[in-house]
Amino acid sequence: MKQNSVNAAVMTAPGRFEVRRYPYPQIDDVSMVIELEMCGICGTDKHTFRGETVQYAGTPAESHTPFPIIPGHEIVGKVAEIGGTARHSLEYAGQELRIGDRVVMCPDILCGQCWYCRNTFGFPLCQNIKGYGNAFTCDEGPHLMGGWADYIYVRKDAFVFKVPGDMEPRIAVMSELMTCTFNLDKAKELYTMGGEGFGSGATIVIQGVGPLGLLHVLKARLMGAGTIIAIDRSDFRLQMAKDFGADAVLSLNGTTQAERVEIVRDLTQGRGGDVIVECTGVAEAIPEGLEMARRGGAYFVAGVFADVGDIPINPHRHLLANPDRLSEQPSAGSRRAILVVS
């Protein structure tokens, strides 16, 4: 039944939230409305809450959060209303959509016109990329452009994925987050006879095992990692990391950075990890993680997705002493990765 108004959690400024009501959106032939069942809290939402509101900094796609916004982009819900053309145009694989179908949504909208859209896969290099829950102020119609609301409006240039009938919403809601583990697929792609990246039996180190880190642990195990090392300050999360497939866990509590680096080296015959993935959302973790990488290893920044200021990196100690060359390589599906390869 169509609602007269919709409740939404609105971030009016960094650190400030309030509940507001918006009119139920009017659709046309090429758009639709999803009734939300669940929406995750991404590390990007935490950045914005802390006032770290510049994304894609230093690129043509640099954006500044246009408060007020409805945050949230890791969504699952059911089709509430849909236009005739949208039934066949909005599902990524071309499946027909009907009212009541459960879907997850790609939160990013590409322009389709820039050099990157026309010469690469587009994600995440589009010069004009815009994301639900981040780039659209709710002061402007159709207002419902974030997942922390009863409903979300789906534009004609967005797309969704139909959820299999036997998949529970609590699993489906992790879909967008799971795409970020494409970092590890990229590391596999790098692997050569020269030993760069993620080969079979590689040692993978995950810094931070919240939801993003746990899914990297799971993905690494599915992809044939040898030893997986999980780092966090929460004993609860570290136990979950073990349940997800980690072989060794390392607590921030009671250890220094130097001690943690040494422990990782001890677990790798003195070399360091083959692949290190930062999932903390804390920039200060990056220099530590770089020191944990072996020469010719790969380092991915997956958690810091905002301009958080200067990161103190010693070029020789953090880059030259382990890897030999630094290259920026955002991975499709991840939006936020930096590789360090020899």
Side-chain angles (χ1 to χ4, degrees):
M1 181 178 178
K2 187 181 295 188
Q3 305 295 308
N4 292 323
S5 61
V6 177
N7 290 317
V10 176
M11 192 184 300
T12 59
R16 295 178 58 188
F17 266 104
E18 61 185 54
V19 176
R20 293 185 178 180
R21 297 180 69 84
Y22 293 96
Y24 182 92
Q26 299 296 312
I27 68 164
D28 54 22
D29 189 55
V30 292
S31 61
M32 75 174 181
V33 174
I34 299 171
E35 183 177 7
L36 275 297
E37 293 179 292
M38 291 183 175
C39 184
I41 300 175
C42 178
T44 306
D45 301 319
K46 293 181 180 180
H47 280 307
T48 305
F49 187 79
R50 291 197 297 258
E52 298 161 353
T53 58
V54 182
Q55 298 177 9
Y56 301 105
T59 76
E62 179 174 315
S63 64
H64 300 251
T65 305
F67 294 106
I69 62 166
I70 301 173
H73 54 271
E74 301 169 3
I75 71 135
V76 62
K78 293 184 177 182
V79 177
E81 190 175 8
I82 188 167
T85 298
R87 289 179 179 272
H88 304 278
S89 65
L90 287 181
E91 209 282 330
Y92 186 77
Q95 297 186 67
E96 183 179 359
L97 293 171
R98 297 180 177 86
I99 290 175
D101 283 345
R102 177 169 287 125
V103 295
V104 296
M105 182 179 177
C106 174
D108 293 322
I109 296 173
L110 308 185
C111 73
Q113 301 297 317
C114 70
W115 186 92
Y116 294 101
C117 283
R118 291 182 171 181
N119 291 273
T120 75
F121 186 55
F123 287 102
L125 301 176
C126 170
Q127 291 180 246
N128 304 295
I129 190 169
K130 301 290 184 185
Y132 272 73
N134 290 296
F136 302 100
T137 176
C138 51
D139 271 354
E140 299 174 359
H143 308 293
L144 303 179
M145 299 293 287
W148 295 2
D150 295 331
Y151 295 86
I152 191 168
Y153 176 83
V154 182
R155 295 168 30 151
K156 66 178 181 179
D157 48 1
F159 56 86
V160 301
F161 300 86
K162 213 170 187 177
V163 175
D166 59 351
M167 182 178 288
E168 299 178 26
R170 66 188 183 93
I171 302 299
V173 76
M174 307 299 290
S175 297
E176 192 275 343
L177 194 57
M178 190 67 177
T179 67
C180 296
T181 66
F182 189 83
N183 294 312
L184 297 176
D185 295 277
K186 193 66 181 179
K188 274 280 191 182
E189 179 184 313
L190 284 170
Y191 189 71
T192 66
M193 290 300 291
E196 298 174 352
F198 185 167
S200 295
T203 297
I204 312 296
V205 181
I206 310 297
Q207 294 178 282
V209 283
L212 180 63
L214 287 173
L215 290 181
H216 275 84
V217 170
L218 175 62
K219 182 72 167 285
R221 179 55 66 216
L222 291 172
M223 292 178 64
T227 301
I228 301 173
I229 304 168
I231 305 173
D232 205 287
R233 66 175 68 256
S234 165
D235 292 338
F236 174 76
R237 287 182 168 184
L238 290 173
Q239 182 57 54
M240 288 194 71
K242 286 184 177 180
D243 296 340
F244 273 59
D247 300 287
V249 297
L250 176 55
S251 178
L252 294 177
N253 300 320
T255 60
T256 66
Q257 173 176 323
E259 289 170 338
R260 292 189 292 273
V261 171
E262 188 62 28
I263 290 170
V264 169
R265 295 194 175 277
D266 286 345
L267 290 169
T268 55
Q269 295 76 52
R271 293 187 302 274
D274 298 294
V275 177
I276 319 293
V277 187
E278 178 278 316
C279 296
T280 66
V282 180
E284 288 74 14
I286 294 173
E288 177 176 332
L290 287 169
E291 292 193 35
M292 292 175 175
R294 68 165 173 83
R295 289 183 66 88
Y299 187 79
F300 290 82
V301 178
V304 179
F305 187 58
D307 188 351
V308 295
D310 295 332
I311 303 171
I313 295 178
N314 181 312
H316 184 271
R317 180 176 181 84
H318 295 137
L319 302 180
L320 299 181
N322 288 339
D324 297 315
R325 175 166 56 88
L326 174 65
S327 64
E328 186 177 5
Q329 180 65 60
S331 58
S334 163
R335 303 181 303 167
R336 45 199 172 197
I338 295 177
L339 295 187
V340 182
V341 298
S342 65

